[in-house]
Amino acid sequence: MGQAQRSDARNGSRSTEEGWRTQYPAQRRRNRAGEHARRQSRNSDGLENLELWEISRDDDNSRIMRLADREQVRSGQRRSRPGSPPGRRSTGSPRPVSSIKRRRAKKRRLNLYRIFVFLMIGVCLILIYQTTGAIYRMVHNEKTGRGKGIVEIVSEKIEANRVQPPAIIVDYLEPNDFSRPGTELKKIRSVFVHYTANPGTSAQQNRSYFANLAETHERSASAHFIIGYEGELIQCIPLEEQAYAVATRNEDSISIECCYLDEDGKFTQETYDTLVHTLAWLTQEYHLSADDILRHYDCGGKKCPLYYVEHEDAWEKLLADVEDYEPEKSAEAEK
């Protein structure tokens, strides 16, 4: 009996010892794994999660496995989260400055284009309206027999304001090297006034003098026009050709010779009136002004025309009369 109890006691103690022996390695592994996990947690979160996950598989411990899975998910979220560059604040997605400038420039161009189109449409509508009205008035006037066409009315107004040429006796010189060289006159910038320096001679006599130079070879001299002391006007050279009148300005000027009776060189009233009319006509035809009317004296210093060199006020009055010349006076003079 006592032997059996001792045997049972030995068997119980043996089984207890065997149980401790079987349980000890598992506990020891757990302790060792916990220490290892703590060490790895200080170095890397990822390794800690991996170790915990492996321990949970080896020991079949559901609590540790859930912990490992949770930590692994958190670590994955931290890795997948995009990091922002250091020192840079997130300001959203600002629109590029160059893109804004391009859009504004495009908008301005579009607005300008629209304004231009509207203006062109307005101008076209105005022109259409005016043209239609003009055609209607012209057709209406022709049907009723009243009034005149627009072209005729405008032409008449222009002609009424124009200075008509004076009565001209065209008597061209024969071409020669001393009075009519035939050189082309391309541009007219000035009109020169001269006097014949030969008192009491007529316009026709002075024209003959120019013609005889072709025979006498005395000198080279001529003028486009000669005004007699009775107001007659003779044209000796075409306005498309040069005359021998002002040595340095023959290539761009027209010259007018004036006859006189007295020694002082003063023109008769008839000569004066024809001269003013002729100057007004020439300045209009060649788009000149009174400032473009010169004396021979103004280019070279020769005292020609004598009276208007010595009497500056008389010359200024002549220029003023040319500026104030009215076409109606020319029509009345012709009557």
Side-chain angles (χ1 to χ4, degrees):
M1 182 100 179
Q3 233 174 3
Q5 289 176 352
R6 284 193 297 270
S7 176
D8 292 335
R10 282 195 299 269
N11 290 334
S13 63
R14 189 180 295 115
S15 61
T16 303
E17 185 178 353
E18 287 178 357
W20 280 104
R21 285 178 182 176
T22 56
Q23 291 177 2
Y24 178 73
Q27 183 67 32
R28 187 174 54 186
R29 284 196 301 272
R30 291 190 190 97
N31 295 336
R32 206 179 297 153
E35 293 177 1
H36 183 70
R38 284 192 296 272
R39 285 195 303 270
Q40 292 297 326
S41 64
R42 288 192 296 268
N43 297 329
S44 173
D45 293 337
L47 293 177
E48 176 189 1
N49 297 332
L50 182 60
E51 290 293 334
L52 291 174
W53 184 72
E54 289 177 353
I55 292 169
S56 66
R57 292 189 59 185
D58 291 341
D59 298 340
D60 196 16
N61 191 320
S62 62
R63 185 180 64 82
I64 299 175
M65 185 169 63
R66 287 195 300 272
L67 178 61
D69 291 340
R70 193 181 303 117
E71 292 297 328
Q72 186 176 10
V73 170
R74 291 176 180 174
S75 177
Q77 290 176 352
R78 286 196 298 271
R79 289 193 187 95
S80 62
R81 187 180 301 165
S84 59
R88 181 177 177 181
R89 293 186 300 177
S90 176
T91 58
S93 56
R95 190 176 298 173
V97 177
S98 59
S99 176
I100 296 174
K101 289 183 177 179
R102 285 196 298 271
R103 291 181 182 178
R104 289 179 179 174
K106 184 177 179 181
K107 188 174 182 180
R108 285 196 297 270
R109 288 195 298 269
L110 182 60
N111 291 335
L112 290 175
Y113 175 75
R114 289 174 178 171
I115 293 172
F116 176 76
V117 171
F118 291 149
L119 288 176
M120 291 301 297
I121 292 173
V123 171
C124 292
L125 291 175
I126 292 172
L127 291 176
I128 292 172
Y129 174 77
Q130 291 181 346
T131 304
T132 304
I135 293 173
Y136 172 78
R137 289 191 296 271
M138 183 171 63
V139 172
H140 180 72
N141 290 334
E142 287 180 356
K143 288 182 178 180
T144 58
R146 295 177 302 174
K148 298 180 180 179
I150 295 176
V151 176
E152 294 180 0
I153 294 173
V154 173
S155 299
E156 287 181 359
K157 288 182 178 180
I158 294 174
E159 290 299 324
N161 292 325
R162 290 182 63 84
V163 177
Q164 299 301 319
I168 300 175
I169 302 171
V170 179
D171 191 5
Y172 293 147
L173 301 173
E174 293 294 328
N176 65 87
D177 294 336
F178 293 90
S179 55
R180 187 185 171 186
T183 308
E184 183 182 4
L185 181 59
K186 297 181 180 180
K187 180 70 176 179
I188 296 175
R189 301 180 185 276
S190 303
V191 179
F192 282 92
V193 177
H194 307 258
Y195 86 135
T196 59
N198 192 6
T201 56
S202 66
Q204 188 60 48
Q205 288 174 331
N206 283 278
R207 187 263 176 206
S208 298
Y209 171 76
F210 290 148
N212 290 334
L213 291 176
E215 303 293 334
T216 63
H217 300 179
E218 180 182 346
R219 63 190 183 103
S220 296
S222 61
H224 291 89
F225 296 98
I226 304 174
I227 301 176
Y229 49 77
E230 293 181 355
E232 68 274 22
L233 178 64
I234 297 176
Q235 184 174 0
C236 302
I237 295 177
L239 295 176
E240 296 79 19
E241 298 180 15
Q242 295 183 21
Y244 284 147
V246 183
T248 58
R249 296 291 307 278
N250 290 330
E251 69 278 2
D252 64 351
S253 64
I254 294 173
S255 288
I256 303 174
E257 288 280 357
C258 296
C259 300
Y260 63 101
L261 296 176
D262 300 327
E263 292 292 336
D264 61 358
K266 184 177 181 180
F267 301 157
T268 64
Q269 188 62 45
E270 293 80 4
T271 302
Y272 184 89
D273 292 342
T274 302
L275 176 61
V276 170
H277 186 176
T278 305
L279 290 174
W281 167 62
L282 290 175
T283 53
Q284 171 192 270
E285 290 297 313
Y286 295 101
H287 307 288
L288 304 176
S289 67
D291 295 334
D292 299 313
I293 302 173
L294 303 175
R295 301 166 294 186
H296 193 175
Y297 171 79
D298 297 321
C299 186
K302 181 179 179 180
K303 288 189 175 183
C304 173
L306 179 62
Y307 183 83
Y308 296 95
V309 171
E310 295 179 346
H311 299 82
E312 195 73 29
D313 55 339
W315 177 251
E316 294 297 330
K317 183 179 183 304
L318 187 147
L319 297 180
D321 290 342
V322 173
E323 286 185 326
D324 297 337
Y325 187 81
E326 296 180 3
E328 290 78 10
K329 292 182 178 180
S330 63
E332 292 175 1
E334 290 176 359
K335 291 180 181 179

